[in-house]
Every structure is written in C-alpha cells, then in structure tokens.
Amino acid sequence: MNPVDLRLYGIIGPANAHGRDLGALVAEAVAGGCTLIQLRDKLSPTRVLVERARSLKAALAGTGVPLLINDRVDVALAAGADGVHLGQDDMDPRDARAILGDRAILGLTLKTPAHAQAMRGLPVDYGCIGGVFATTSKDNPEPPIGLDGLARVVAAGRASGVPLGAIAGIDAGNAAHVIGAGADGVAVISALFDAGDPAGAARRLRGIVDAALAARGA
C-alpha cells in the first residue's frame, strides 16, 4: 500500500478552468494546501489528454504532490503520472496494478457499503466515497448519500485499512461535517477551481479539514 494524503484532493479538468491555464491553477491550489491532484477529462482525445497530463506533472514538479488520472490507465502510463483513480465500471484495480506497478497510487470510487466491503483485499491505496451532496460538477445518476450515508460507507470500508475520502458538493460550509462523519479528506472541484483565487480557496479548505481532523482525534 502506498501512503496517500487525502486531506485536500483537487480535481481539475478543462470544464473547470474556464479558459485559464490548468497548470497555473493547479500550482496555485497546491500552494494553498492541496495534497493530491487529479486530472478528470472524459471528452478530450487521448493525445490531448496525455499532453495535458504531462503539463500538469511538470507544474507539480518539486512540490511532492502526486498527479492522478481519472479512469485512464493508458494515459497515466504514457504521461508518467503517479497513478489513477478508478470508478466501479473502469479497469479492475488488479489489472491496473499489474500495468502500472507497485509504486503507482490507485484510488477507487465507493458508492455503497457493499463497494467498501469489496475493496478489502484489492490493491488500492485509497477509496473516495460519493456523491455526498448534490453537485453540478459531474453526472451522478444516483441521489446524494448525505452525511449518514457517508458514515455508513466509511464504517464498511475501515477494514480495508486505506484512507477514505469524500466527494461531491463539498465546500467550506460543509467540509467539517464531512470530516466529522468519518472521511479522512475531501475531494473538491468547483469550490477550488471555480473560485477566482484557487490558492485562497485551498488555504481556507485545508484549514477547515485540518481543524476537523484534529477535533476528531485523527
């Protein structure tokens, strides 16, 4: 298992950049306290995805913050990214691990307690639970699970021994409640990259998360 810091997980793609440079936005978010970055782009051609991933990897050079690619094991491998985040319908984590190797970070989306229980024994380094709240940043056909649903999935996933994050609709107003429900960190899209000041937004969110973790004794 590779150690991974989920406290403030920034997820970015062209739709959230609003014409701004992705690398510059990521650099600002990391300067403000992001601990992990994911490139999420389901529409661009593969060649463009690889180029974007390489650009973000260069922007993160020297920061110690890993870059993950959403879904695309091939793009992560070609771009030299640090790993991938996989959905329940994406490549089996065992196959992804065989392709990317032991040092790659592998994350897995968890939507139900059954998903969390099934994660035990899989070669993944973290789980990300969602969607917690309503969001316009991604398509979620299932209704939000809320804080009670989050707590149930966290409880089911603790036996896996990996950190568990949460995603969807999380911002400065509810991040502390998400941590209080058991998450080890928050994955954020709009609250970071739709803001005019990603560094400031990251700094505020990171402060809230760190304080909530301390209050929980984590």
Side-chain angles (χ1 to χ4, degrees):
M1 186 173 71
N2 297 300
V4 57
D5 187 344
L6 290 181
R7 284 178 294 170
L8 185 53
Y9 187 174
I11 300 176
I12 192 167
N16 310 107
H18 305 291
R20 295 171 291 175
D21 180 72
L22 293 180
L25 289 171
V26 161
E28 289 181 43
V30 168
C34 268
T35 56
L36 189 64
I37 294 291
Q38 180 192 130
L39 173 61
R40 183 179 183 273
D41 181 353
K42 294 181 177 290
L43 300 177
S44 295
T46 298
R47 186 171 296 186
V48 172
L49 271 174
V50 172
E51 291 171 355
R52 284 198 176 123
R54 286 176 176 158
S55 176
L56 291 186
K57 183 68 176 171
L60 291 169
T63 67
V65 174
L67 172 67
L68 308 187
I69 309 300
N70 182 262
D71 298 349
R72 297 289 299 272
V73 173
D74 58 335
V75 172
L77 187 64
D82 299 289
V84 294
H85 181 86
L86 300 169
Q88 287 291 321
D89 296 324
D90 295 326
M91 183 181 289
D92 187 295
R94 288 162 289 207
D95 294 326
R97 177 65 72 197
I99 292 169
L100 294 175
D102 292 339
R103 295 185 179 182
I105 296 171
L106 299 188
L108 184 64
T109 294
L110 308 173
K111 298 182 179 182
T112 67
H115 288 164
Q117 291 166 351
M119 182 176 62
R120 188 173 185 180
L122 290 177
V124 300
D125 301 301
Y126 73 88
C128 196
I129 301 163
V132 179
F133 304 115
T135 179
T136 59
S137 295
K138 59 181 294 188
D139 294 328
N140 282 330
E142 299 89 357
I145 62 174
L147 293 174
D148 288 343
L150 171 62
R152 287 193 291 272
V153 180
V154 167
R158 281 300 176 210
S160 67
V162 301
L164 301 169
I167 190 170
I170 299 170
D171 56 26
N174 57 33
H177 299 297
V178 170
I179 299 300
D184 299 310
V186 296
V188 181
I189 304 173
S190 298
L192 274 177
F193 297 114
D194 287 355
D197 177 16
R203 195 171 295 112
R204 185 181 181 198
L205 278 163
R206 174 69 181 273
I208 291 168
V209 169
D210 285 350
L213 286 168
R216 203 179 79 197

